Amino acid sequence: GQQLNQSPQSMFIQEGEDVSMNCTSSSIFNTWLWYKQDPGEGPVLLIALYKAGELTSNGRLTAQFGITRKDSFLNISASIPSDVGIYFCAGHDSTSGTYKYIFGTGTRLKVLA
Amino acid sequence: SQTIHQWPATLVQPVGSPLSLECTVEGTSNPNLYWYRQAAGRGLQLLFYSVGIGQISSEVPQNLSASRPQDRQFILSSKKLLLSDSGFYLCAWRWAGRGYEQYFGPGTRLTVT
């Protein structure tokens, strides 16, 4: 099935550094979701975006809905060890009448203390 | 508040045995329900979704089936498990008619031996 491209696939960063990752699609979405998944657990919803150009924050996390509606970005400021995990993006197009979400391939984040 | 439960948390089953995984959601009514499978270190594969009791949409032809006998209950089944059915099974829900956030359960780790 269709998957969104997430970049980078994985990254090692030093504690305290800022992190940026993105998600791109060949299709237009009107909803972007960002999740974090810890090992052995279900993904946890971090941020939901509904409007092109929208910038939304959740603590140290900030996500943006790309103006082309084909991409989204997630930034983590001042990373800490508990930021370790896999970050997934997901897109949804409610105008198509579908109930399905398209997920990204994931960005694996590892933080060096 | 809403809560999603999955059980069992882990399961080890021999090839050829039947399977039944259960998902229930509390605190909402008429949710959209989803079953995903996640292979180790991989993304999420949508298996089934349901928009109402008895309404099941299948995304991937496979050895599995789903049922929704009650509004907030979603069951994933198989008559005869294959080795390739091993994986992490995630149930998710979305509040129909109220935004497009999708929330995941804690998951079931299935190992077919």
Side-chain angles (χ1 to χ4, degrees):
Chain A
Q2 181 188 0
Q3 280 188 313
L4 306 178
N5 292 317
Q6 280 190 249
S7 172
Q9 286 188 320
S10 63
M11 55 194 313
F12 283 90
I13 60 169
Q14 292 284 341
E15 184 177 356
E17 287 184 346
D18 296 344
V19 176
S20 293
M21 61 189 76
N22 65 65
C23 187
T24 60
S25 169
S26 58
S27 305
I28 290 174
F29 294 117
N30 55 15
T31 299
W32 283 96
L33 306 174
W34 283 93
Y35 293 88
K36 177 178 183 279
Q37 185 178 27
D38 292 327
E41 300 183 11
V44 174
L45 181 63
L46 300 173
I47 293 178
L49 301 160
Y50 288 105
K51 190 176 178 181
E54 178 183 0
L55 196 67
T56 298
S57 293
N58 178 6
R60 294 179 295 105
L61 278 61
T62 301
Q64 185 166 22
F65 193 137
I67 57 174
T68 67
R69 296 172 59 194
K70 290 184 177 182
D71 54 10
S72 182
F73 310 89
L74 178 68
N75 296 309
I76 305 172
S77 63
S79 58
I80 58 178
S82 62
D83 291 332
V84 165
I86 303 177
Y87 291 80
F88 289 102
C89 60
H92 182 270
D93 177 15
S94 61
T95 64
S96 67
T98 182
Y99 296 93
K100 297 185 290 185
Y101 294 75
I102 308 300
F103 281 82
T105 49
T107 292
R108 187 181 298 271
L109 181 64
K110 300 181 183 181
V111 180
L112 304 173
Chain B
S1 63
Q2 298 77 43
T3 310
I4 180 169
H5 303 280
Q6 286 187 246
W7 64 88
T10 60
L11 191 60
V12 180
Q13 292 284 95
V15 168
S17 64
L19 173 74
S20 181
L21 303 181
E22 189 165 342
C23 170
T24 59
V25 182
E26 296 177 355
T28 183
S29 60
N30 196 31
N32 295 158
L33 296 172
Y34 303 79
W35 278 113
Y36 292 89
R37 178 168 59 199
Q38 186 177 34
R42 307 292 291 276
L44 297 165
Q45 178 189 30
L46 178 63
L47 302 175
F48 302 94
Y49 66 91
S50 171
V51 300
I53 296 174
Q55 300 178 62
I56 308 295
S57 295
S58 174
E59 286 300 301
V60 182
Q62 60 206 336
N63 189 39
L64 302 170
S65 62
S67 62
R68 184 170 176 175
Q70 300 181 42
D71 182 44
R72 290 168 289 176
Q73 183 185 31
F74 206 21
I75 297 173
L76 184 69
S77 304
S78 174
K79 292 182 179 178
K80 290 186 178 181
L81 283 169
L82 306 172
L83 286 174
S84 58
D85 291 323
S86 293
F88 193 46
Y89 288 83
L90 289 158
C91 181
W93 74 276
R94 178 207 148 219
W95 207 324
R98 288 180 56 174
Y100 293 94
E101 291 98 4
Q102 186 180 69
Y103 300 93
F104 285 86
T108 294
R109 172 74 59 193
L110 172 66
T111 303
V112 182
T113 60

